[in-house]
Amino acid sequence: VDAKASVAAMAAAAAEWTRRGGPARGRLVVLATFGEETRHTSMPRALERLGAPVDAALIGEPTGLEPCVAQRGLLVLTLRWRGAQVHAGWAADLDTAPDNAILVAADQLARLEGFAMPRVHPRLGRVAFTPTRIEAGIARNVTPPVCEALLDVRTTPAHSHEEIVAALRAALPRTEVEVVSDRLRPVETPDGSRLLEAIRRVRPGCRPFASPTSSDWVFLADVDGVKLGPGDSRLSHTPDEAIALDEIDEAARLYAAIAGEYLS
């Protein structure tokens, strides 16, 4: 689903246009890139090697073949708490109880449940905060001197990444907040998009929507772009991630039709 199905469908659509002799005008290019949420992403280099400006882009991601016209950004943070390292057998009997980094983390993470940024984006809603990993402890019988958690923050244009980090630091006074990655900013399809109009013509009744997930679209933020592809994004990264072959075939036909309409 995420996102080999889109790659296969785009390759099939491009092969069909090659068989037909190419679109009426312009140039149709398929970029099969990877790792958009990691530091090893290949899209920036692929765009550089393309050597020509991009006028419009379909970003292949699982959207159920509906056009996604906005996506949240991704801000990755490390949250860190410090405590005292002492023998666990003595921890409860010392005159002054040592700070336990795990207990400090539990207190601070619980505050996230009631924490919200004030502004709401009309398409993407509120900024979302999700702890995804936590690690602490050096031995079974020692209180942990450090506890760290990764916080996945899905951002919207309503708040800058810098605003969000500052707000978290103010709301979690016993927490060190370290920015791991803030390059994946939120993206929207521009008003008056020619590409979206082409999609509407070949797929009447389509339902544009906004997505909470990030993608390579972030590297095409200044381009007329729409995220669209086969599959259900809610299955991404799950043990049962799968897609019907019929949907990939339908996606190939849709990609080919959109390319033909836009490049006519």
Side-chain angles (χ1 to χ4, degrees):
V1 172
D2 187 14
K4 298 178 183 69
S6 293
V7 173
M10 286 183 169
E16 173 60 21
W17 272 110
T18 299
R19 187 187 66 80
R20 299 182 198 176
R25 64 186 180 90
R27 183 183 179 199
L28 179 63
V29 178
V30 175
L31 297 179
T33 59
F34 60 86
E36 71 274 12
E37 293 188 14
T38 75
R39 70 188 64 181
H40 305 297
T41 182
S42 59
M43 177 61 89
R45 177 62 175 149
L47 290 172
E48 181 183 329
R49 292 183 65 182
L50 188 59
V54 176
D55 296 309
L58 282 171
I59 297 87
E61 289 278 326
T63 69
L65 297 182
E66 297 292 352
C68 169
V69 296
Q71 72 173 20
R72 285 178 178 164
L74 173 60
L75 174 62
V76 182
L77 304 174
T78 292
L79 306 183
R80 185 178 297 108
W81 304 273
R82 301 190 186 275
Q85 180 181 329
V86 302
H87 192 297
W90 284 102
D93 294 328
L94 296 174
D95 292 337
T96 301
D99 282 336
N100 185 311
I102 292 176
L103 296 179
V104 177
D107 169 73
Q108 296 287 280
L109 285 172
R111 300 187 185 200
L112 277 178
E113 291 191 54
F115 177 76
M117 298 299 291
R119 296 188 291 277
V120 180
H121 189 268
R123 283 177 171 169
L124 292 165
R126 287 193 179 277
V127 175
F129 301 88
T130 307
T132 57
R133 196 169 72 194
I134 192 165
E135 183 177 358
I138 57 174
R140 172 192 60 77
N141 58 348
V142 179
T143 58
V146 178
C147 179
E148 291 186 348
L150 274 181
L151 186 64
D152 180 298
V153 185
R154 300 292 165 156
T155 63
T156 80
H159 290 281
S160 71
H161 286 189
E162 293 75 18
E163 280 184 282
I164 295 167
V165 171
L168 277 171
R169 285 173 173 153
L172 306 176
R174 299 189 68 186
T175 302
E176 297 174 21
V177 180
E178 176 185 333
V179 177
V180 177
S181 173
D182 69 347
R183 62 193 173 85
L184 302 180
R185 305 285 169 142
V187 189
E188 296 180 88
T189 300
D191 293 336
S193 165
R194 284 187 57 232
L195 181 59
L196 182 58
E197 288 307 308
I199 294 170
R200 291 184 188 276
R201 287 193 294 272
V202 301
R203 193 174 173 84
C206 67
R207 299 182 300 276
F209 74 102
S211 166
T213 65
S214 188
S215 74
D216 275 326
W217 191 3
V218 71
F219 302 109
L220 295 156
D222 297 327
V223 170
D224 184 358
V226 174
K227 186 163 73 172
L228 185 149
D232 184 347
S233 180
R234 291 169 295 185
L235 294 177
S236 299
H237 307 178
T238 67
D240 300 321
E241 186 172 343
I243 188 169
L245 293 178
D246 287 348
E247 190 172 355
I248 299 176
D249 291 338
E250 183 182 357
R253 291 190 293 270
L254 179 58
Y255 284 144
I258 294 169
E261 182 67 25
Y262 186 86
L263 296 173
S264 61

